[in-house]
Amino acid sequence: MTSQTSEPASTSVDYAPFAHLTVPNAPLYRRVMRTFLAAKERFAVHLRPEDVYAGLDADTRPVDVEAVVKALDSLVGWGNLRADPDTARVTAVEDFYRKRFIYQLTRAGEAAEAALGTYDEVLGRRGELQAVALHDIVTQLRALLVIAAEDEPDPAKAYLALAVLTARFTDLADNARAFMGSLQRTIDLHDIEVEAFLAYKDRLIQYLERFIQDLITLGGRIALLIGELEEQGRVGPLLRLAAVREAADAAPEDAEHAEATAYEKWVARWSGLAQWFVSGEGRESQARLLRGRALGSIPQLLSVVRQLNERRAGRSDRSADFRALARWFAQAPDDAARHRLWRVAFGLHSSRHLTVDADTLAERTAAPEPASTPWSEARPLRISPQLRRTGSYERRGKPRRVADRSEAKRRLAELAARQAEQTGAARARLATGGTIRLSSLDELDPLAFQLFLSLLGDALATWRPGTTTTTATSGDGSMEIRLTALDDGSTAEVHTPHGVFSGPDHLIDIADLVEKR
């Protein structure tokens, strides 16, 4: 019979397997541990010192195997490795008294290497803006609407849809955060070569523009789907089904607590998703902030390109001018030359006067002094005695009273409220309530027509050769337009008080996203 022993559970965590990271010979220890990980992938459990030595890179391995043996013994002491007597190579009695061991990874050593691998992966990740994740989120939200509409929703389907939805949302948020961080480092030009940046910036700007377009188009659609789920009270039952499904395998005595804990987690996940795409009172959504940050990074990239081009062309700037002037000051032969250089460079001279009195002004007005007259030959200026006595010409008095701005603020508030009301009326006027022909629009007032032109421009900006249908959202996310081309050659006319707007007829569907939220 053979007996198996398991490592006893410990209530305290031992971090000794990480000790090899802070010792002088840390690089060798890391390479030795990576050798054991590579051997494990090849299903090799035990390694001899000679195997470890052969597995190290030829450029970084020690001179002899003894250094590797010492590193192995140190790793055994920290708990990263386990040493067992190597009896396979014993051929005589004397061999039993020699120090021969084979080594293998311990659970603690393997866990430490897994943690270090995750650490390196997170630091090295650049992140990406995942437009595909936006499409997946739309798909899963529509699937949840279908599941919630059933008389008895399937818990398995609800759990899978919510799990995929939260996984894709988590990837989107994490990668967007990592990408914007790496983008800022790129803009700041930390450790980047000029040629590499210039070759990279065109692809980066196209990448940002494509994601911003998808975020504007799909972000409003996602917010609309989230609002539809929440308004109909369907989110709570779906989250409850997912919590029950997740806690199904819990022990009977822990089932109730596991279900409550799972439900709290699902509520927090859904709240994070909703706040990421839907703005609240006094709070902008993360999607809108990301869109603004991405839009702002494009001018910053172009500014960096301009600075690089100026630097490559040898164009002078203010800092270069000051450095050249400093060299001239250092090379000047004496103080007199430095003073002359100062006057020439900055044009600062001692003033002949500070101010004049009323009599002097009247005299100069009656008999002006030609500009070509030398100062030494010009008539003297009479300076006010008050200036000579006090050093100030201003008459002292009471401070000015603080102006009351309450009436102006009230008028501004009324103006802002009136403009918001007019904009809301224009949105309500443009909302079609379904698909209609462009030629079916009635006469539009100037504000509604201006809003219509802006929406139409956003839709046409996404139009590509071969496109027949496109959807776009206004820049503030308040309206969505769906435009479909017609092949019957018809023409549409939109009448306004200032004229007639005409063009090819289309099918349009304009929705007011503010009212639906």
Side-chain angles (χ1 to χ4, degrees):
M1 296 180 58
T2 59
S3 62
Q4 295 181 352
T5 60
S6 59
E7 298 182 9
S10 177
T11 57
S12 62
V13 181
D14 184 12
Y15 295 106
F18 292 95
H20 67 285
L21 301 176
T22 57
V23 294
N25 214 12
L28 176 60
Y29 297 130
R30 290 300 310 276
R31 293 195 296 269
V32 169
M33 293 301 295
R34 281 195 290 265
T35 302
F36 276 92
L37 289 178
K40 183 182 177 183
E41 295 178 357
R42 301 191 304 269
F43 304 101
V45 179
H46 298 87
L47 293 180
R48 295 185 174 90
E50 296 81 3
D51 301 330
V52 177
Y53 184 81
L56 297 175
D57 294 335
D59 297 335
T60 57
R61 69 174 54 151
V63 179
D64 54 14
V65 74
E66 291 300 325
V68 175
V69 173
K70 293 180 180 179
L72 292 172
D73 292 339
S74 298
L75 289 169
V76 170
W78 290 317
N80 301 79
L81 301 176
R82 190 181 76 183
D84 297 317
D86 185 7
T87 59
R89 294 187 294 176
V90 174
T91 58
V93 178
E94 294 80 4
D95 292 337
F96 280 102
Y97 298 100
R98 295 178 182 175
K99 186 179 179 181
R100 296 178 183 269
F101 294 101
I102 55 176
Y103 301 87
Q104 72 176 70
L105 280 172
T106 61
R107 284 198 308 169
E110 188 174 351
E113 289 303 309
L116 293 174
T118 303
Y119 178 81
D120 294 336
E121 180 183 356
V122 171
L123 286 184
R125 184 174 61 186
R126 288 182 55 87
E128 56 188 6
L129 298 176
Q130 296 176 317
V132 177
L134 294 172
H135 290 275
D136 294 342
I137 291 174
V138 171
T139 302
Q140 296 304 320
L141 288 173
R142 288 175 175 170
L144 286 174
L145 282 173
V146 174
I147 295 172
E150 299 176 354
D151 296 335
E152 295 184 2
D154 188 347
K157 292 181 180 179
Y159 175 78
L160 289 176
L162 284 171
V164 174
L165 175 64
T166 54
R168 297 301 288 151
F169 165 68
T170 302
D171 290 342
L172 172 67
D174 292 344
N175 280 279
R177 184 165 51 250
F179 178 83
M180 297 311 296
S182 63
L183 177 61
Q184 186 60 52
R185 289 191 293 273
T186 301
I187 293 175
D188 293 340
L189 292 181
H190 292 316
D191 301 328
I192 187 170
E193 296 182 358
V194 175
E195 297 296 338
F197 178 80
L198 294 177
Y200 174 62
K201 59 93 178 175
D202 290 333
R203 299 194 303 273
L204 181 59
I205 291 177
Q206 293 175 4
Y207 182 67
L208 287 171
E209 290 176 343
R210 186 170 64 252
F211 178 78
I212 292 169
Q213 176 181 330
D214 290 335
L215 186 60
I216 292 175
T217 304
L218 299 175
R221 196 175 305 172
I222 291 173
L224 188 61
L225 291 171
I226 292 175
E228 187 175 352
L229 280 168
E230 291 183 342
E231 288 176 2
Q232 298 177 6
R234 302 176 178 179
V235 177
L238 290 176
L239 299 180
R240 182 67 65 183
L241 289 175
V244 172
R245 177 77 175 182
E246 185 174 334
D249 295 331
E253 62 273 11
D254 297 333
E256 184 177 353
H257 176 71
E259 181 179 339
T261 303
Y263 180 72
E264 291 179 359
K265 292 181 179 179
W266 281 112
V267 169
R269 293 167 185 167
W270 179 266
S271 176
L273 172 68
Q275 293 179 5
W276 214 88
F277 288 100
V278 181
S279 299
E281 184 176 357
R283 176 190 58 81
E284 286 189 334
S285 64
Q286 292 296 321
R288 181 170 294 183
L289 294 176
L290 175 62
R291 184 177 65 192
R293 179 68 184 86
L295 283 171
S297 64
I298 295 178
Q300 293 180 11
L301 283 170
L302 297 178
S303 175
V304 170
V305 173
R306 183 172 61 253
Q307 294 176 7
L308 290 176
N309 288 333
E310 292 176 356
R311 186 186 304 173
R312 299 174 71 189
R315 180 175 175 178
S316 178
D317 55 9
R318 182 172 297 180
S319 61
D321 293 340
F322 280 128
R323 286 193 295 270
L325 184 61
R327 286 194 296 269
W328 294 346
F329 272 107
Q331 297 170 359
D334 50 32
D335 287 342
R338 296 186 184 95
H339 285 295
R340 287 195 300 272
L341 179 59
W342 173 270
R343 289 193 294 271
V344 171
F346 298 102
L348 298 179
H349 305 274
S350 57
S351 59
R352 291 289 302 273
H353 62 280
L354 298 177
T355 186
V356 297
D357 56 13
D359 295 337
T360 302
L361 292 176
E363 181 182 352
R364 287 300 176 93
T365 303
E369 191 77 47
S372 58
T373 304
W375 284 20
S376 58
E377 301 176 5
R379 289 171 294 173
L381 295 174
R382 290 188 291 273
I383 307 300
S384 171
Q386 181 181 356
L387 176 65
R388 182 184 182 91
R389 183 172 57 256
T390 64
S392 174
Y393 188 69
E394 295 182 359
R395 297 171 181 258
R396 301 298 180 186
K398 295 182 178 181
R400 298 182 60 183
R401 300 177 61 183
V402 178
D404 186 6
R405 308 288 185 184
S406 57
E407 182 64 21
K409 291 181 179 179
R410 186 187 62 78
R411 289 199 299 268
L412 288 176
E414 292 178 354
L415 178 61
R418 186 162 56 252
Q419 290 177 347
E421 182 180 356
Q422 293 175 353
T423 303
R427 288 199 306 266
R429 170 68 184 83
L430 286 179
T432 59
T435 303
I436 64 172
R437 296 178 74 97
L438 181 58
S439 56
S440 301
L441 285 177
D442 297 331
E443 182 175 349
L444 300 177
D445 58 82
L447 185 58
F449 181 66
Q450 182 180 1
L451 183 57
F452 169 73
L453 285 182
S454 177
L455 272 175
L456 187 62
D458 292 336
L460 294 178
T462 64
W463 204 274
R464 299 291 185 270
T467 303
T468 57
T469 301
T470 185
T471 303
T473 306
S474 60
D476 58 357
S478 61
M479 303 201 72
E480 182 181 65
I481 180 173
R482 184 178 179 84
L483 191 66
T484 304
L486 296 174
D487 55 0
D488 55 2
S490 57
T491 303
E493 292 184 351
V494 179
H495 295 268
T496 71
H498 302 294
V500 178
F501 176 78
S502 61
D505 201 4
H506 288 74
L507 293 177
I508 61 171
D509 182 6
I510 301 177
D512 187 355
L513 301 180
V514 176
E515 293 296 329
K516 292 188 177 183
R517 293 178 189 175

